[in-house]
Amino acid sequence: METTAAPLLQTPNYIKQLAESPDLHFIPANYVHSTNNPCDSSDSNSIPIIDFSLLTSGDPHQCSIAIHHLSKACQDWGFFMVVNHGIPENLIKAVIDCTHEFFNLPEEDKREYAGKHVLDPIRCGTSFNASKENVFFWRDYLKVFVHPQFHSPTKPQGYRDIVSEYCEKIREVAKMLLGGISESLGLEEGFLDKALDLKSGLQIFVGNYYPNCPQPELTMGMPPHSDHGLLTLLIQNQVGGLQVQHEGKWINVNALPNSLLIFSNGKYKSNMHRAVVNNKVTRISIATAHGPSLETIVSPASPLVYNENSAAAYIPMKYSEYLELQQSNQLDGKSCLERLKFPRN
């Protein structure tokens, strides 16, 4: 199929600025992605839903049901929706609205946070890793380290307080989910918490801005990838665009109102997902990634290796080193994780 695209854009600026150009009818050639596998949305209603209130009810039977559902969701999908999580709807709306305000700040304000290194506590930029990419993604981002030390942009007004409150509540949800996941693996509830020093664990707040695009079928918001860390919790402004891979098919995620979208990171799957864009409205999503402390050596849980009488599949590695490896290269599916597998005869 023949496509029409604008000339190459030599130096990518914020995609927001490009998308708002009044004479933009064709996207620059270096935003065009040759492979954009179509989506099969027929299975979207089968995405697992976890009722968080069962997990925290104190009723052993209800808790057992929730843990069973968690196990199935992690093993079969690596992705699930969480409802009845207790985070106020007005707080979710506030953090989305304020993040949108951040991306609407003047370019010079956002450039203050143009970090150079993946471990800089606040970074604002475009695409994924524009310094390494030849083809860019239709996305601007804000990445902030919010735990164990809290950082935040100073603008817009009040953003710091809203992000702080939201991240604290999300961290509690993640902790409870990880406790349930530990039990579903036959481990003690607090095993992951203790083994990975989650009290000092890294929490990263990522705001994503996907503006409307004149040729959405030619580009991507984010390519297929799996996340680093343990759990990524995601909210969005009710504009579709997230797709997950299941049994070889790409499926649109039709998120329930006020639900949290969870990616689990193998006995349990690390889910492949991507973001597509549209030609009508801007999509805002906010992901909070939860991982161990930067100094933790990450390796397969020893009880699982011993109990199942199988060798560890992955090389132990300091989490900060893995984070640098994953974030400093081009995003390409699970290629980063594949590099860490022990060679097999």
Side-chain angles (χ1 to χ4, degrees):
M1 183 178 70
E2 187 175 335
T3 61
T4 303
L8 291 174
L9 186 67
Q10 295 301 323
T11 305
N13 211 328
Y14 292 109
I15 197 65
K16 182 179 188 294
Q17 187 178 34
L18 174 64
E20 292 177 351
S21 303
D23 55 349
L24 182 70
H25 303 295
F26 306 104
I27 65 174
N30 47 355
Y31 281 87
V32 174
H33 291 261
S34 57
T35 56
N36 191 349
N37 296 333
C39 182
D40 183 343
S41 60
S42 60
D43 293 328
S44 59
N45 291 330
S46 63
I47 291 173
I49 299 172
I50 304 298
D51 187 337
F52 189 77
S53 65
L54 297 184
L55 192 64
T56 58
S57 67
D59 182 314
H61 177 66
Q62 289 189 330
C63 189
S64 177
I65 291 172
I67 289 171
H68 173 72
H69 289 163
L70 265 177
S71 177
K72 286 287 292 177
C74 291
Q75 195 159 354
D76 296 344
W77 283 75
F79 171 80
F80 50 93
M81 283 185 271
V82 171
V83 297
N84 299 325
H85 45 72
I87 300 177
E89 188 173 357
N90 61 349
L91 178 59
I92 291 176
K93 183 178 185 304
V95 76
I96 290 172
D97 289 347
C98 276
T99 300
H100 201 166
E101 285 182 46
F102 174 85
F103 288 112
N104 283 332
L105 291 173
E107 300 297 306
E108 56 269 23
D109 287 347
K110 289 183 284 189
R111 286 197 191 98
E112 290 180 26
Y113 305 110
K116 302 299 182 184
H117 191 274
V118 297
L119 296 182
D120 286 344
I122 305 177
R123 286 192 298 139
C124 180
T126 193
S127 191
F128 175 73
N129 188 352
S131 66
K132 296 285 182 73
E133 295 159 343
N134 296 316
V135 181
F136 307 117
F137 302 108
W138 203 261
R139 169 228 192 195
D140 290 338
Y141 66 81
L142 169 68
K143 296 184 180 182
V144 186
F145 286 15
V146 290
H147 192 265
Q149 294 179 322
F150 180 78
H151 302 270
S152 173
T154 57
K155 299 177 183 178
Q157 186 174 6
Y159 193 32
R160 180 183 182 89
D161 292 340
I162 290 170
V163 170
S164 176
E165 182 182 358
Y166 172 76
C167 289
E168 185 176 343
K169 291 185 180 300
I170 280 286
R171 203 157 55 245
E172 287 302 310
V173 172
K175 182 179 179 180
M176 290 298 300
L177 288 173
L178 285 169
I181 289 171
S182 282
E183 290 192 73
S184 76
L185 287 166
L187 305 170
E188 293 180 1
E189 181 184 358
F191 179 88
L192 290 175
D193 198 338
K194 294 173 186 174
L196 297 174
D197 188 18
L198 295 184
K199 189 176 290 186
S200 302
L202 183 66
Q203 184 185 32
I204 306 176
F205 175 97
V206 184
N208 300 298
Y209 181 91
Y210 304 103
N212 55 303
C213 174
Q215 295 175 295
E217 71 283 358
L218 298 183
T219 192
M220 295 289 296
M222 281 288 278
H225 66 283
S226 63
D227 294 337
H228 60 80
L230 290 164
L231 290 181
T232 299
L233 285 71
L234 186 137
I235 56 174
Q236 57 188 19
N237 63 343
Q238 296 304 310
V239 175
L242 176 65
Q243 297 178 348
V244 298
Q245 193 176 65
H246 182 61
E247 296 180 348
K249 296 179 180 178
W250 285 105
I251 298 171
N252 280 319
V253 177
N254 302 315
L256 297 171
N258 202 35
S259 62
L260 303 176
L261 309 175
I262 317 290
F263 300 93
S264 66
N265 264 336
K267 182 173 180 178
Y268 283 173
K269 295 178 182 293
S270 58
N271 180 272
M272 287 274 284
H273 51 284
R274 66 185 185 183
V276 297
V277 294
N278 67 81
N279 60 3
K280 295 181 175 62
V281 291
T282 293
R283 176 173 178 253
I284 301 287
S285 73
I286 295 169
T288 47
H290 299 79
S293 71
L294 288 172
E295 297 305 308
T296 298
I297 303 295
V298 179
S299 62
S302 54
L304 296 182
V305 175
Y306 296 143
N307 292 346
E308 297 181 11
N309 197 26
S310 59
Y314 295 93
I315 299 167
M317 190 177 203
K318 187 185 289 188
Y319 186 53
S320 61
E321 294 173 354
Y322 178 73
L323 192 61
E324 287 188 67
L325 181 67
Q326 198 252 14
Q327 295 283 301
S328 299
N329 292 279
Q330 296 188 47
L331 211 54
D332 180 19
K334 296 185 183 181
S335 61
C336 180
L337 197 59
E338 290 297 316
R339 290 183 223 169
L340 300 182
K341 280 189 172 181
F342 280 112
R344 294 286 182 247
N345 294 330

